[in-house]
Amino acid sequence: MAKAKVYVTRRVPKPGMDLLAEHFDIDVYEDEEAIPHDVLVNAMKAKPYDALYCLLTDDIDKEVLEAAGPQLRIVATMSVGYEHIDLQECAKRDILVANTPGVSTDSVAELTVALLLMTARRLSEGVESVKQGEWGDWRPKWLCGTELTGATLGIYGLGRIGFNVGRRLKPFGFSQIYYTDVHEVSYAKDIDAEFIDFDGLIQKCDFICVCCNLTPQTRHMFNADVFKKMKNNAILINTGRGGVIQHDDLVEALKNGDIAAAGLDVTEPEPLPLDHPLVLLKNCVILPHMGSNTWDSRNAMSEIAARNCIAAISNQTPEGNVCTS
Ligand SMILES: O=C(O)C(=O)CO
């Protein structure tokens, strides 16, 4: 029997590639950079693929799905986030959508803690000062940052990642951990986190970690009005999705001193252009979306996305099934 056909939008780590090659007839877009949208549409038209294995850089919209044709069973993304996939269009066509939850929780939570410490203690400025020969005699007021001990921590989105950020940060001795989410969650008690509404979170917290998905409800949740209500000493960390923060407003808030600093692993757009005002600000630490960049996470993500394709083609429910109805 002929093998099912899968289109893969980038060469992914070996565990995923091996599994795909073992089970399917695969075509891969062989480039380091993301596949251009028109190239993906044309690739989908060229052959009747049963599965589309994609990444978070690929816009899987109506045009791609139409080009793919009615035999397409699944869009499997090698990511936790799936805001790049048009779920409604997939649901209309009975196409499954699956992501890779769970396996990047630790890597993203670790990176969040690292970014929070980098931002609070001005570590990138320190590293740069050594390279630029600015390290002079010990100076009493030079590169002073903010302590975590005794501060209030807010977590916006206490899902798997948010909880694991809280678990790792708790031993630093915050006076209180608050969280905001759609509902109260029972496991919050394991990190002594108190549920609070969004207004309370932004007004009470010295550190806020954004750990939520991007949805129509969370888009631009952090905007000029919110920055004005936040504490002037507040530090905002985002390892969720760039779109949760209104970036022009953030530039103004960081310049005006509405908030003290920001640490961003995700931005809008990505990559952020080199001449973007945020890149020039000393009180903004920016990383190039590297939350899940560990071999453990990336190997596991590549494998789960492949297993999701195998499940869908064998008429089983993929483990990362995203509800599309
Ligand atoms: O898996 C995701 O959604 C990512 O953002 C990768 O870090």
Side-chain angles (χ1 to χ4, degrees):
M1 208 173 85
K3 284 182 170 176
K5 292 183 177 35
V6 179
Y7 191 76
V8 190
T9 62
R10 208 96 58 89
R11 188 155 286 277
V12 297
K14 192 169 175 338
M17 288 314 307
D18 286 354
L19 207 52
L20 288 169
E22 193 185 317
H23 287 81
F24 304 116
D25 174 5
I26 57 172
D27 287 321
V28 184
Y29 180 70
E30 298 282 359
D31 202 300
E32 280 302 305
E33 303 305 321
I35 186 168
H37 191 258
D38 57 328
V39 177
L40 177 57
V41 170
N42 287 334
M44 288 292 99
K45 280 183 189 159
K47 277 190 198 172
Y49 291 104
D50 302 287
L52 171 58
Y53 184 122
C54 69
L55 304 183
L56 56 81
T57 41
D58 310 323
D59 191 9
I60 310 301
D61 59 6
K62 187 173 173 183
E63 201 184 351
V64 171
L65 300 171
E66 249 161 29
Q71 79 297 328
L72 188 73
R73 303 270 274 281
I74 181 167
V75 175
T77 182
M78 192 192 120
S79 61
V80 177
Y82 48 83
E83 68 285 339
H84 54 293
I85 303 170
D86 189 329
L87 298 186
Q88 274 186 348
E89 289 297 329
C90 287
K92 267 195 221 163
R93 295 168 169 77
D94 265 338
I95 297 170
L96 289 169
V97 175
N99 67 344
T100 59
V103 288
S104 53
T105 303
D106 291 328
S107 53
V108 178
E110 286 174 8
L111 190 284
T112 308
V113 174
L115 182 55
L116 186 144
L117 287 167
M118 267 182 90
T119 312
R121 297 302 301 272
R122 305 175 62 180
L123 300 186
S124 47
E125 286 177 79
V127 170
E128 204 45 39
S129 75
V130 175
K131 293 193 183 198
Q132 299 303 323
E134 290 162 6
W135 182 14
D137 287 335
W138 188 90
R139 279 166 272 179
K141 293 188 293 181
W142 191 52
L143 288 184
C144 289
T146 308
E147 265 171 50
L148 279 52
T149 313
T152 44
L153 170 67
I155 303 176
Y156 183 58
L158 201 75
R160 251 187 297 252
I161 292 174
F163 174 77
N164 275 284
V165 167
R167 195 163 65 81
R168 284 166 171 79
L169 285 174
K170 189 172 156 45
F172 281 93
F174 286 91
S175 60
Q176 178 65 51
I177 302 180
Y178 293 104
Y179 75 100
T180 300
D181 209 318
V182 195
H183 316 286
E184 284 191 49
V185 291
S186 59
Y187 52 82
K189 65 178 179 328
D190 298 346
I191 55 168
D192 295 328
E194 190 179 309
F195 183 74
I196 196 165
D197 65 15
F198 186 68
D199 251 22
L201 185 92
I202 58 169
Q203 287 175 49
K204 281 187 191 251
C205 293
D206 302 307
F207 291 89
I208 296 182
C209 293
V210 174
C211 298
C212 62
N213 292 336
L214 180 62
T215 64
Q217 289 71 40
T218 62
R219 170 165 287 282
H220 292 176
M221 198 62 194
F222 286 81
N223 53 39
D225 290 344
V226 168
F227 295 131
K228 293 246 176 302
K229 289 186 194 162
M230 284 172 71
K231 290 182 163 187
N232 295 148
N233 66 300
I235 293 182
L236 180 65
I237 304 298
N238 189 6
T239 52
R241 280 291 184 264
V244 179
I245 295 178
Q246 214 301 338
H247 281 45
D248 293 338
D249 293 355
L250 177 63
V251 172
E252 290 313 307
L254 289 170
K255 281 189 182 164
N256 297 341
D258 289 337
I259 65 169
L264 313 174
D265 181 47
V266 286
T267 59
E268 190 181 63
E270 288 183 10
L272 206 57
L274 203 52
D275 61 354
H276 192 284
L278 284 176
V279 177
L280 304 173
L281 289 178
K282 280 204 162 153
N283 54 349
C284 190
V285 177
I286 305 173
L287 298 177
H289 197 152
M290 53 193 298
S292 68
N293 295 28
T294 64
W295 285 116
D296 290 333
S297 282
R298 291 291 169 83
N299 286 339
M301 287 163 78
S302 75
E303 207 173 330
I304 291 182
R307 284 212 300 267
N308 285 338
C309 293
I310 297 168
I313 305 293
S314 347
N315 292 321
Q316 280 158 14
T317 309
E319 57 199 281
N321 194 33
V322 171
C323 186
T324 51
S325 55

